Amino acid sequence: MVEKEARTPNKLIKESSPYLLQHAYNPVAWYPWGQEALQKAIKEDKPILVSIGYSACHWCHVMERESFEQEEIATVMNRDFVCIKVDREERPDVDQVYMDALQNMGLQGGWPLNVFLMPDAKPFYGGTYFPPDRWQNILLQIAKAFKEQREELAKSAEGFANSLNHSLLEKYGLQHNDASFQLDKLAEAVKGLLSKADEKFGGEKGAPKFPMPVLYEFLLAFAAQEKDTPSWEHVKNTLIQMAFGGIYDQLGGGFSRYSVDGEWFAPHFEKMLYDNAQLISLYSKAYRYEPNPLFKTVVQESIAFVMRELKSKEEGFFSALDADSEGEEGKYYVWQYMELAKLLGDEIELFEEFYNVKQQGNWEKQQNILYRTLPLEAFAAKHQFTIEKAKNKIEAWKTKLLTPRTKKQRPGLDDKILTSWNGLMITALADAYAAFGDESFLNQAINSMQFLQNNLATKT
């Protein structure tokens, strides 16, 4: 395979998106979304491939490595298609259109999102991650169908386009006079959500598990207004289980995007600004409803993570940290048992108990993901520690491990600064200030708001 540095870059080389730049030396002749690519498809009468992802997406990297970096596959893509790469965070409008199209086809969405379009940009087929053999086979089949069954593909694309053009009112069966709602409708929605609740681990039953902070803010608000105990108990259990799980960075704070299992244990390790901002708000509001020291710790540590790893020197906030480092998912965050034993010395047995690490590893390749099952109070009581002594031990462990962790190769940083996601983080800081009265949270919110006004607001 030709080394990247030896290749001529494609059209993405002039883009600013870190995700698009990651693909600038692929042998695929990628175009950014725009008129040049769309007009080329019409002029050359070729179908369009739109491939959508983001820089912290693990499976996007896998598909790039397995398919988009391969000369043989790239040759087929370049010969038979006009290929467009889209950063979903930079163009959420394009992402939403083609995600809706995929779901209208009865297919499951996700990223990378790969959608095939007619030359007029109407979609007719798509999917998410494809292994390389299957991907090449799909490319060849679609190119053949475009030449031999053009009329059928065009009809299919027209049908999906008509479906996408329905208004939201039509799509969800709403009427223009449905502007008001009754409390019993909210209660019905709550009942529906609670019927799907995982009573042991929180969240929804099954896997994968996503935090879904908006849903839990809704349940929290309903619990507060209606004094609804089941709603609050589900919110509380979910927040505790997430904070104990591997989805939460037990050393450095902050949440990964989701866990691949049903127990919040094994995350996809990418860390997104928008997830953490919304979760900081949620934990802050939950603390105001029922003070729980764990919620306060999660807020403080998660804000510290954002300030340490996602804040720009101009007071804005970057978008994400990658799941991968050194070509492996999660390598920055996981530990071999002997690494831990060497760093912690005589404390390793207590640490092993508190964070559930095993000599043979509790995850892949004999690695350990740190997670908790014991509340701090139970751990302290078991070992006849005061709460303060237990806290001090845990803080000492974190200090001993965080320093060597920072010497590892860090996951890639997506340094886009998005107005909407920064708005969520500023809101999170304000919510944290309202809950805890920490002036540093308020001051950071003010500084970041000034950054948005000075640099990202439309001047009139």
Side-chain angles (χ1 to χ4, degrees):
M1 187 175 74
V2 178
E3 291 296 323
K4 282 188 177 184
E5 292 74 12
R7 293 193 189 120
T8 301
N10 56 46
K11 297 275 187 176
L12 302 182
I13 196 65
K14 296 180 180 179
E15 297 299 302
S16 59
S17 157
Y19 176 65
L20 298 185
L21 289 170
Q22 286 172 8
H23 291 268
Y25 284 91
N26 291 167
V28 178
W30 294 116
Y31 283 76
W33 180 267
Q35 286 302 309
E36 183 180 8
L38 299 175
Q39 291 300 320
K40 178 181 173 68
I42 292 171
K43 181 180 178 181
E44 298 182 7
D45 195 31
K46 285 184 177 180
I48 300 168
L49 164 66
V50 176
S51 182
I52 303 172
Y54 57 100
S55 73
C57 168
H58 170 70
W59 287 104
C60 298
H61 299 327
V62 173
M63 193 161 180
E64 178 190 19
R65 184 169 62 249
E66 292 179 343
S67 294
F68 303 150
E69 280 288 330
Q70 304 307 315
E71 302 282 348
E72 182 180 353
I73 294 176
T75 297
V76 177
M77 294 172 68
N78 295 339
R79 181 189 68 209
D80 296 330
F81 300 89
V82 174
C83 302
I84 299 176
K85 256 288 168 199
V86 175
D87 181 338
R88 68 173 279 253
E89 295 162 2
E90 187 176 55
R91 292 301 304 263
D93 54 336
V94 175
D95 176 58
Q96 189 62 60
V97 166
Y98 292 116
M99 184 64 76
D100 285 348
L102 193 71
Q103 291 170 343
N104 281 341
M105 295 172 194
L107 300 169
Q108 185 172 353
W111 296 278
L113 177 63
N114 294 292
V115 185
F116 293 92
L117 323 177
M118 298 300 285
D120 60 3
K122 293 176 181 175
F124 61 86
Y125 184 70
T128 56
Y129 164 78
F130 294 96
D133 290 347
R134 188 172 171 217
W135 178 244
Q136 187 165 4
N137 187 45
I138 285 170
L139 293 170
L140 293 169
Q141 286 183 4
I142 288 177
K144 186 172 186 288
F146 184 78
K147 292 174 182 175
E148 298 177 4
Q149 298 171 293
R150 174 77 172 262
E151 187 175 339
E152 287 86 345
L153 289 184
K155 285 181 181 178
S156 178
E158 191 64 35
F160 290 128
N162 290 336
S163 175
L164 290 171
N165 285 333
H166 288 165
S167 70
L168 289 177
L169 291 175
E170 293 169 319
K171 183 176 179 181
Y172 295 108
L174 302 174
Q175 302 299 320
H176 284 283
N177 60 1
D178 285 345
S180 63
F181 61 86
Q182 302 298 320
L183 185 59
D184 61 345
K185 294 293 185 184
L186 293 182
E188 188 178 331
V190 168
K191 183 179 178 181
L193 289 173
L194 294 182
S195 71
K196 301 175 183 177
D198 182 332
E199 294 181 4
K200 183 175 182 181
F201 292 105
E204 288 193 358
K205 296 171 186 173
K209 262 184 161 59
F210 286 82
M212 306 295 284
V214 172
L215 290 183
Y216 291 96
E217 282 218 24
F218 167 65
L219 289 174
L220 177 59
F222 186 83
Q225 177 166 312
E226 299 301 310
K227 304 297 185 285
D228 186 70
T229 300
S231 294
W232 167 242
E233 289 299 323
H234 180 50
V235 171
K236 179 168 68 172
N237 184 46
T238 298
L239 297 189
I240 290 170
Q241 296 300 328
M242 285 198 302
F244 279 9
I247 192 173
Y248 183 68
D249 182 350
Q250 299 293 335
L251 294 183
F255 289 87
S256 295
R257 189 163 168 261
Y258 66 96
S259 70
V260 299
D261 58 276
E263 302 176 15
W264 306 112
F265 164 62
H268 254 324
F269 288 88
E270 64 262 40
K271 285 179 166 181
M272 317 297 292
L273 176 64
Y274 70 92
D275 285 324
N276 281 282
Q278 292 178 91
L279 287 166
I280 289 166
S281 287
L282 176 59
Y283 276 87
S284 297
K285 291 174 182 178
Y287 182 89
R288 294 182 73 184
Y289 185 75
E290 184 180 292
N292 182 322
L294 176 64
F295 298 168
K296 183 176 183 178
T297 298
V298 167
V299 170
Q300 291 173 328
E301 291 183 344
S302 296
I303 290 176
F305 151 69
V306 173
M307 296 303 116
R308 183 178 66 245
E309 301 190 44
L310 293 180
K311 192 179 84 164
S312 75
K313 64 180 184 297
E314 299 89 1
E315 305 294 337
F317 299 106
F318 300 131
S319 293
L321 285 175
D322 207 328
D324 299 10
S325 56
E326 300 181 58
E328 292 184 26
E329 184 185 9
K331 187 170 184 179
Y332 186 75
Y333 301 101
V334 298
W335 299 86
Q336 295 275 359
Y337 183 86
M338 292 310 297
E339 289 181 275
L340 296 168
K342 183 177 179 181
L343 291 165
L344 296 170
D346 294 341
E347 293 283 295
I348 183 60
E349 289 187 9
L350 281 174
F351 183 91
E352 181 179 347
E353 178 187 338
F354 191 68
Y355 286 117
N356 296 283
V357 301
K358 301 183 186 307
Q359 293 190 28
Q360 69 273 23
N362 63 24
W363 194 50
E364 301 169 353
K365 300 180 181 178
Q366 297 185 309
Q367 300 280 3
N368 285 284
I369 297 172
L370 306 187
Y371 72 100
R372 292 174 54 183
T373 50
L374 276 179
L376 178 68
E377 296 76 11
F379 176 72
K382 181 178 179 181
H383 295 282
Q384 299 182 320
F385 297 149
T386 65
I387 296 295
E388 197 61 31
K389 182 176 179 180
K391 284 182 179 177
N392 289 340
K393 277 188 174 294
I394 292 164
E395 288 306 311
W397 295 339
K398 290 178 180 179
T399 300
K400 286 181 179 179
L401 297 179
L402 272 174
T403 300
R405 190 174 88 169
T406 59
K407 295 177 182 176
K408 297 182 182 181
Q409 181 178 316
R410 287 189 50 179
L413 173 68
D414 184 334
D415 61 358
K416 289 195 310 296
I417 296 179
L418 300 172
T419 305
S420 57
W421 293 11
N422 273 249
L424 289 172
M425 189 61 213
I426 291 167
T427 301
L429 289 163
D431 287 335
Y433 172 69
F436 307 111
D438 188 325
E439 293 286 339
S440 69
F441 299 159
L442 176 62
N443 292 335
Q444 183 61 60
I446 291 169
N447 291 342
S448 296
M449 192 67 226
Q450 289 173 340
F451 165 77
L452 291 189
Q453 290 174 326
N454 293 337
N455 295 278
L456 298 177
T458 302
K459 299 294 189 290
T460 57

